Amino acid sequence: MASPYIEIPVGERLVKVSNPDKVYFPEHGYTKRQLVEYFIAVGDGILRATRDRPTTLERWPGGVFEGAKMATREDYARGQAGFGAGKSDAFYQKRIPKGAPEWVQTARIAFPSGRSADEVKPTEVATIAWAANLGTLTFHPWPVRGDDVDHPDELRIDLDPQPGTDFADAVRVALGPARDLLGELGYTGYVKTSGKGGVHIYVRIEPRWTFTEVRRAALAFGREIERRVPAEVTTRWWKEERGEQVFIDFNQNARDRTIASAYSVRPLPYAPVSAPLTWDELPDADPHDFTIATMPERFAKVGDPHADMDAASFSLEPLLEMADRDEHDHGLGDAPYPPNYPKMEGEPKRVQPSKARDD
């Protein structure tokens, strides 16, 4: 008979793992215990990516099986957000779960709607292990620290391959025009796989600017790359306009938009993880090589390629000046926000072009 729970020492804590033999990834038979042990093995790395950051938990307590899907707002409205055959079995936890240990810390954040929430704020590896016991696969940290939740300290460049393109296309953009522009700006960028098909580049920035300004800087970065390789890159928000190109998702820098952290597990059958890499490793990287089974050995051998990320922070002023030139010289103003955001000043019509009409 399977044990109802075990206790695993994590630092100074004992973390309870319920149903440790429950299979989370049937394709390989990976269990909840193996998931928790994975996060402990890479603990220093994932804590570096999430430390003191309000963090949304992407929970898959039913595991990742064929037909598994994320719960939607409609599911909750119909009362069908649960676990079992034919129901949604995963959801985003934006508020600290009830019954959390007293040592799990939180940070209060404000959503675009004006509502607020106390989100989990990892301060030790035990918090990561505790969240993994709840079925958390992917950690979505905000680009801010808990002591200043309105001024991001990360610029996030999300290279998202669209249908007809793939990881190799994202790598080519990262290694070519994106890396060149980082050098011209004097920035140090840190690269990782998304854990799916994309590439993420992080730049530490001084926490002096608002989310609106950081998003504006990310849009300027993307538009400059688009000018240099227009056949390969797009910043078009509407999918119908993107074509077979790599989309630079500037909206990932908007308030309450987050990216899977380094070392997070992605909900795919082979249990891939978002893998931090060096720039020299990126040309030969294959996302399938980085899983909860392989990453602990890699981490033990090479450590965390992002270990020096906090060594220097950079100014957004060069990118904001570029954004001003885009507007004044090229007539490029703001771009649409995601649909759940209030209408923003200077934002164009928030309707896909094929459905737009002249007023």
Side-chain angles (χ1 to χ4, degrees):
M1 181 176 178
S3 171
Y5 73 89
I6 59 174
E7 291 184 324
I8 298 178
V10 186
E12 299 179 353
R13 314 289 185 191
L14 276 178
V15 176
K16 181 181 290 188
V17 179
S18 60
N19 299 313
D21 299 324
K22 178 179 177 61
V23 175
Y24 267 31
F25 295 91
E27 182 171 301
H28 293 287
Y30 300 144
T31 63
K32 182 197 278 192
R33 177 175 185 162
Q34 289 173 289
L35 175 69
V36 174
E37 290 175 339
Y38 158 74
F39 280 122
I40 294 171
V42 300
D44 288 345
I46 190 166
L47 188 60
R48 180 173 293 107
T50 60
R51 186 191 296 275
D52 295 329
R53 300 186 183 281
T55 300
T56 300
L57 310 179
E58 184 180 331
R59 295 176 57 185
W60 291 78
V64 178
F65 52 89
E66 186 175 355
K69 65 187 181 72
M70 182 70 66
T72 65
R73 292 181 180 179
E74 290 74 19
D75 292 327
Y76 283 105
R78 292 192 298 264
Q80 295 179 342
F83 313 118
K87 294 184 179 181
S88 302
D89 49 40
F91 59 97
Y92 291 108
Q93 181 96 46
K94 292 195 173 187
R95 291 173 169 81
I96 185 170
K98 294 180 179 179
E102 61 180 12
W103 45 265
V104 174
Q105 298 188 30
T106 63
R108 178 157 295 184
I109 46 84
F111 301 118
S113 65
R115 293 180 298 110
S116 62
D118 294 321
E119 283 206 332
V120 171
K121 181 183 72 174
T123 57
E124 54 185 308
V125 178
T127 301
I128 302 295
W130 162 80
N133 176 60
L134 299 179
T136 301
L137 300 186
T138 310
F139 293 80
H140 294 267
W142 282 47
V144 298
R145 306 286 184 173
D147 60 354
D148 184 356
V149 296
D150 293 316
H151 297 93
D153 69 343
E154 283 184 347
L155 174 68
R156 297 172 173 180
I157 308 301
D158 180 9
L159 305 180
D160 184 10
Q162 299 302 290
T165 64
D166 56 20
F167 179 73
D169 296 300
V171 167
R172 186 169 59 253
V173 173
L175 287 171
R179 193 179 188 187
D180 289 345
L181 182 54
L182 289 172
E184 293 166 21
L185 293 166
Y187 293 171
T188 299
Y190 291 84
V191 67
K192 68 183 183 72
T193 69
S194 70
K196 293 184 176 179
V199 173
H200 298 157
I201 303 171
Y202 285 11
V203 177
R204 279 285 187 268
I205 58 173
E206 299 164 357
R208 297 165 42 199
W209 293 276
T210 65
F211 279 95
T212 300
E213 290 168 319
V214 175
R215 175 185 174 275
R216 178 175 168 83
L219 178 57
F221 187 99
R223 282 172 168 167
E224 178 60 24
I225 300 302
E226 187 175 20
R227 273 191 288 270
R228 298 184 183 194
V229 285
E232 299 179 50
V233 167
T234 182
T235 57
R236 298 280 186 174
W237 174 246
W238 301 108
K239 291 183 179 180
E240 65 184 34
E241 294 187 313
R242 294 178 191 170
E244 296 183 1
Q245 296 173 294
V246 174
F247 172 52
I248 298 184
D249 191 353
F250 53 90
N251 269 329
Q252 294 291 30
N253 293 272
R255 179 184 289 273
D256 194 32
R257 296 281 286 200
T258 56
I259 293 179
S261 78
Y263 301 102
S264 276
V265 183
R266 309 314 304 273
L268 295 173
Y270 64 100
V273 305
S274 180
L277 303 172
T278 67
W279 285 98
D280 290 340
E281 290 178 306
L282 187 58
D284 299 318
D286 182 342
H288 291 80
D289 291 339
F290 309 110
T291 70
I292 66 170
T294 63
M295 184 57 80
E297 181 178 1
R298 168 183 162 83
F299 191 84
K301 287 183 176 179
V302 306
D304 182 9
H306 291 185
D308 295 332
M309 187 181 290
D310 292 320
S313 298
F314 301 93
S315 172
L316 274 187
E317 290 177 0
L319 280 175
L320 293 175
E321 291 171 0
M322 190 179 295
D324 289 341
R325 290 195 297 272
D326 281 343
E327 185 170 1
H328 298 148
D329 299 345
H330 303 289
L332 296 173
D334 206 349
Y337 273 75
N340 61 315
Y341 284 69
K343 184 70 173 178
M344 303 296 287
E345 183 179 354
E347 182 187 1
K349 289 182 180 179
R350 197 181 296 176
V351 59
Q352 62 193 69
S354 62
K355 295 182 179 180
R357 64 182 184 183
D358 294 331
D359 293 330

